[in-house]
Amino acid sequence: MNTEEIYNDNADKWLRLTPSSLSDFTARPLVFEACGELNARSVLDIGCGEGYCARELKRRGAGDYLGVDLSEQMVKAAQAQEAKDQYGIEYRACNVVEFNPDRQFDLCIAVFLFNYLRVEEMQRVFSMVYDALHPQGQFIFSVPHPFFPFIHGSQTPPFYFGSRGKNYFADVNQKFEGEIWKRSGEPLPVQCVHKTFGNYFDCLRRAGFSSMPEVKELTVTPELVAIDKAFFSPLLNEPLHLLFTISK
Ligand SMILES: C[S@@+](CC[C@H](N)C(=O)[O-])C[C@H]1O[C@@H](n2cnc3c(N)ncnc32)[C@H](O)[C@@H]1O
């Protein structure tokens, strides 16, 4: 199945108003923390999905907010929720690889978008983001940890990418199918177009970013295990995600 079909078919399962999937606990709170004080800063949210992050950043004080996503059904779900909440978020359905914004932003976020793009597509999007940011604008994105599919072999809850027979260097741009679970027990299909650690740094530099990114390696912490041992403990201390923060 291609990415668009996966998200069109599962938009109703993704729509959520409170944390539900594993990464709502292990990654998104750290993305929000990295965004810091919003103080009416304008935000471009690429791969915004059904708007979970958009709504939270609006609650935290974001200003002008544009979310774009490939999946029409995810965008429809976001717009339906916006009609109820009236946060003032604009959503558009489009492929971010072909997207050129009509204005500049103070902050760009991409929460688990780049695992759907090949390296050359990610390069194009990084360049678009560089141009779309105001001077000193921030770019914050989370991706699966590139080691995770190779370290965590078992295709079991609450998260995996199937990487059997794949090689860390030789299989760049290969798509690994996976699933991530909600605490309710429901799995969501996800994909990872594999990239190495180095791919992210190379693409940022080529796009024009010249400062050092802050990179955090995210995992399941003992605090999360204390909340729900059965759900979180299988991945305690495993390298799950990377969180990049970089300024223009
Ligand atoms: C794991 S979901 C994350 C959604 C949202 N960022 C969140 O954190 O809830 C990944 C999203 O990326 C979108 N996506 C994948 N490829 C895309 C592309 N080429 N252009 C725009 N969106 C894309 C998918 O449609 C999906 O909504």
Side-chain angles (χ1 to χ4, degrees):
M1 233 193 243
N2 70 32
T3 304
E4 198 174 351
E5 284 169 346
I6 286 190
Y7 282 95
N8 279 339
D9 289 356
N10 290 284
D12 55 334
K13 290 189 200 160
W14 276 96
L15 180 64
R16 62 223 192 268
L17 302 178
T18 52
S20 69
S21 81
L22 174 78
S23 50
D24 290 343
F25 298 89
T26 51
R28 290 183 184 84
L30 291 112
V31 172
F32 302 145
E33 193 183 299
C35 293
E37 295 286 319
L38 272 304
N39 292 327
R41 279 192 292 156
S42 54
V43 183
L44 172 64
D45 182 345
I46 50 178
C48 63
E50 47 67 49
Y52 179 82
C53 299
R55 292 186 291 275
E56 180 59 25
L57 291 188
K58 265 292 188 182
R59 283 191 288 272
R60 289 171 181 242
D64 174 31
Y65 204 109
L66 174 61
V68 299
D69 197 278
L70 180 67
S71 159
E72 276 200 20
Q73 293 308 320
M74 293 291 267
V75 169
K76 272 192 187 153
Q79 288 168 334
Q81 192 57 44
E82 171 62 20
K84 293 179 199 159
D85 300 329
Q86 306 269 309
Y87 279 123
I89 303 167
E90 181 191 352
Y91 294 103
R92 286 188 214 162
C94 71
N95 185 344
V96 73
V97 178
E98 291 151 14
F99 174 68
N100 286 306
D102 47 16
R103 56 192 189 271
Q104 285 190 305
F105 297 86
D106 300 312
L107 170 66
C108 175
I109 66 160
V111 180
F112 299 113
L113 163 71
F114 295 117
N115 43 303
Y116 294 93
L117 306 189
R118 297 168 60 83
V119 174
E120 54 276 18
E121 293 172 325
M122 181 172 81
Q123 177 68 73
R124 206 185 131 79
V125 175
F126 279 9
S127 297
M128 177 278 287
V129 169
Y130 186 83
D131 292 341
L133 285 174
H134 286 303
Q136 273 96 53
Q138 265 191 318
F139 182 26
I140 296 175
F141 63 93
S142 60
V143 289
H145 196 298
F147 300 163
F148 176 64
F150 300 96
I151 287 177
H152 184 80
S154 61
Q155 302 194 359
T156 50
F159 186 29
Y160 72 84
F161 289 113
S163 68
R164 208 188 173 106
K166 303 291 185 191
N167 182 281
Y168 180 77
F169 288 110
D171 288 309
V172 165
N173 280 338
Q174 292 296 310
K175 194 184 273 183
F176 305 162
E177 304 288 338
E179 289 179 294
I180 192 161
W181 268 258
K182 296 188 195 180
R183 273 181 73 191
S184 64
E186 185 174 40
L188 297 163
V190 286
Q191 297 174 322
C192 182
V193 177
H194 174 58
K195 292 161 204 76
T196 65
F197 236 102
N199 291 143
Y200 294 103
F201 291 93
D202 289 346
C203 288
L204 285 170
R205 185 177 43 77
R206 288 200 189 111
F209 290 97
S210 54
S211 61
M212 274 283 283
E214 185 184 333
V215 183
K216 287 191 173 150
E217 297 179 279
L218 308 183
T219 186
V220 165
T221 59
E223 290 73 25
L224 287 172
V225 173
I227 294 169
D228 185 342
K229 189 170 180 198
F231 183 68
F232 290 112
S233 65
L235 294 177
L236 178 65
N237 290 329
E238 291 206 17
L240 299 187
H241 328 285
L242 296 178
L243 173 61
F244 281 80
T245 304
I246 192 162
S247 296
K248 182 165 174 179

